[in-house]
Amino acid sequence: MNEIQVQLGERSYPIYIGAGILSQPELLTQHIKSKQVVIVTNETVAPLYLDKVKQQLQQYQLEVVILPDGEQFKSLSIMDTIFDALLQARFSRNATLIALGGGVIGDISGFAAACYQRGIPFIQIPTTLLAQVDSSVGGKTGVNHALGKNMIGAFYQPQAVVIDVTVLETLDDRQLAAGVAEVIKYGLIRDIEFFTWIEANLEKILARDQASLIYIIEKSCQNKADIVAEDEKESGIRAILNLGHTFGHAIETGSGYGTYLHGEAVAIGTCQAADLSRRLGWLTDAEVERIIHIFKQAGLPVEPPTELLAETFVDLMSVDKKNVDGDIRFILLEKIGSASLPVGVEKAQLLETLNEYGR
Ligand code: NAD
Ligand code: GLY
């Protein structure tokens, strides 16, 4: 097992990464300071891993909340299901919430933990590759609004993140690829060596070679932990983690939550961001091709949905957390391995990308 520390002073926490570590109860119990524990999961993950987690926690007063599965349920209203269970069980402020699932469960549960009695401790057990390499780390929690992705939420750090790579055995290929999109992101924004390694080892990753999966999870978590330690609340460098997300969130909202997986939308959005970077003279044609190629090789979509017109994109992107005074700002690539801070671009250049890339 490997351990990576997210260094945030008194809110620092470990990320445990290994194979089979869900059967090590102390990884959870050492972070639980109460008798009351609630596990929040969904109807897909519960039959697969709930019993295993419950087995480690027999000495606690245990409640389980099973939510419906899907991005379309990542809404404010679903949070009442969690609050109802906590209140009916008379859970106190020192109760611990465990999020068992993908990024949707992690984001909803983390936000519920931030809100219940103004904040109870929580632990992340991410079960998708995307959640293991990105969403479970760094404390961004929240839900979607009909008008914008992740628009309601809080920064709220977990007590620990327990990543057992063996849970990925039950994940389908499309979901695995969606996670790979966020892994590629780390290479693109700050780690050219990692990007080159992913290019060379993509087949092994997609074939779920365990050592390769552990390697990409560790590298991704280390990259994310470094960025979060430097800029927890995204007043600067953390924004680079949003490469491709301005376009990607517009695709998710505009197509209806759940139509495109988050990682798929990020893959398309990153190709659009690469195209825009080329138009600004930052990336070469060859670099853009290299970026599009790796996403395609991973089995990810690289072109925006044709029904989403340029003006609709602009309208949807006007609801983005990086915007300042209503101006849309993008994370772009100066080169492979180096991302810009949020930048505004001329509307004409943006429209060129929206009207020409992938159309
Ligand atoms: P998800 O949570 O919807 O999980 C994908 C699917 O896999 C679901 O159907 C789920 O039930 C199923 N599943 C989960 N684990 C499984 C397993 N081990 N075996 C079989 N099936 C399993 O999607 P996701 O890609 O994990 O997360 C996407 C969400 O994460 C989006 O809402 C996105 O906005 C959010 N996100 C948040 C952050 C952050 O920093 N908080 C970062 C990136 C993404
Ligand atoms: N996924 C973007 C972030 O955590 O900042």
Side-chain angles (χ1 to χ4, degrees):
M1 189 187 74
N2 198 355
E3 186 177 327
I4 291 169
Q5 205 64 21
V6 183
Q7 302 285 3
L8 286 170
E10 60 183 14
R11 280 168 296 101
S12 298
Y13 55 93
I15 306 168
Y16 305 113
I17 303 168
I21 62 172
L22 268 190
S23 308
Q24 282 179 241
E26 70 284 0
L27 295 184
L28 293 173
T29 55
Q30 65 181 303
H31 298 286
I32 299 174
K33 310 281 182 241
S34 58
K35 290 199 184 83
Q36 300 174 325
V37 175
V38 58
I39 302 173
V40 181
T41 185
N42 75 18
E43 59 202 7
T44 304
V45 178
L48 297 169
Y49 303 110
L50 180 58
D51 279 350
K52 185 172 254 180
V53 176
K54 276 168 86 177
Q55 257 171 32
Q56 322 300 328
L57 301 170
Q58 285 173 18
Q59 67 274 41
Y60 297 96
Q61 180 192 339
L62 207 56
E63 289 292 322
V64 174
V65 178
I66 300 181
L67 299 180
D69 185 3
E71 183 76 38
Q72 65 274 31
F73 298 106
K74 187 178 156 184
S75 64
L76 257 188
S77 58
I78 202 80
M79 293 186 39
D80 256 342
T81 318
I82 303 173
F83 299 142
D84 287 351
L86 289 167
L87 287 165
Q88 273 159 16
R90 305 283 186 268
F91 268 26
S92 319
R93 202 182 213 171
N94 62 340
T96 295
L97 186 155
I98 297 180
L100 172 68
V104 169
I105 285 296
D107 281 13
I108 300 170
S109 311
F111 189 36
C115 297
Y116 185 68
Q117 298 196 17
R118 302 203 177 87
I120 59 172
F122 89 111
I123 295 173
Q124 291 266 20
I125 306 180
T127 61
T128 61
L129 180 62
L130 186 135
Q132 295 185 342
V133 299
D134 193 350
S135 63
S136 64
V137 174
K140 277 192 182 175
T141 71
V143 294
N144 301 325
H145 186 279
L147 297 180
K149 177 91 181 135
N150 294 338
M151 276 295 139
I152 321 288
F155 286 99
Y156 195 65
Q157 302 294 343
Q159 305 298 307
V161 182
V162 181
I163 300 178
D164 186 339
V165 71
T166 64
V167 301
L168 300 181
E169 284 162 15
T170 51
L171 199 64
D172 69 35
D173 287 345
R174 185 177 170 203
Q175 296 289 351
L176 189 82
V180 172
E182 299 278 20
V183 176
I184 293 170
K185 174 186 80 179
Y186 293 109
L188 286 173
I189 59 175
R190 73 194 297 264
D191 196 341
I192 175 90
E193 257 177 53
F194 187 35
F195 182 81
T196 311
W197 189 93
I198 302 164
E199 283 181 320
N201 293 276
L202 198 51
E203 260 179 49
K204 281 206 279 181
I205 296 168
L206 297 174
R208 301 168 199 240
D209 167 62
Q210 194 172 88
S212 302
L213 287 176
I214 289 180
Y215 181 74
I216 59 169
I217 293 166
E218 285 177 358
K219 287 291 278 185
S220 299
C221 287
Q222 189 63 64
N223 269 296
K224 184 146 186 189
D226 290 347
I227 292 173
V228 170
E230 203 177 321
D231 178 23
E232 182 186 8
K233 301 229 167 125
E234 201 170 303
S235 47
I237 191 73
R238 182 164 181 169
I240 68 173
L241 290 167
N242 292 309
L243 173 70
H245 286 58
T246 312
F247 295 103
H249 284 166
I251 293 169
E252 285 186 84
T253 309
S255 314
Y257 296 126
T259 306
Y260 283 86
L261 303 181
H262 176 70
E264 292 173 341
V266 166
I268 299 168
T270 301
C271 295
Q272 290 176 292
D275 180 82
L276 188 52
S277 307
R278 179 178 62 82
R279 289 176 199 275
L280 296 183
W282 294 5
L283 287 185
T284 62
D285 290 349
E287 283 174 310
V288 176
E289 278 315 307
R290 194 174 162 195
I291 292 167
I292 294 171
H293 181 72
I294 193 169
F295 285 119
K296 274 190 184 161
Q297 290 296 103
L300 287 157
V302 293
E303 290 176 359
T306 44
E307 62 278 14
L308 217 56
L309 303 176
E311 287 304 334
T312 315
F313 255 107
V314 173
D315 190 40
L316 289 164
M317 292 191 299
S318 68
V319 183
D320 186 277
K321 293 188 289 306
K322 291 185 300 306
N323 294 349
V324 173
D325 294 334
D327 286 338
I328 305 172
R329 300 190 312 158
F330 297 87
I331 306 301
L332 297 177
L333 288 171
E334 288 149 355
K335 56 183 181 184
I336 291 178
S338 175
S340 72
L341 288 174
V343 283
V345 295
E346 297 290 330
K347 181 137 187 225
Q349 272 173 322
L350 173 60
L351 286 176
E352 275 176 28
T353 285
L354 291 173
N355 284 316
E356 291 171 27
Y357 172 74
R359 302 296 192 173

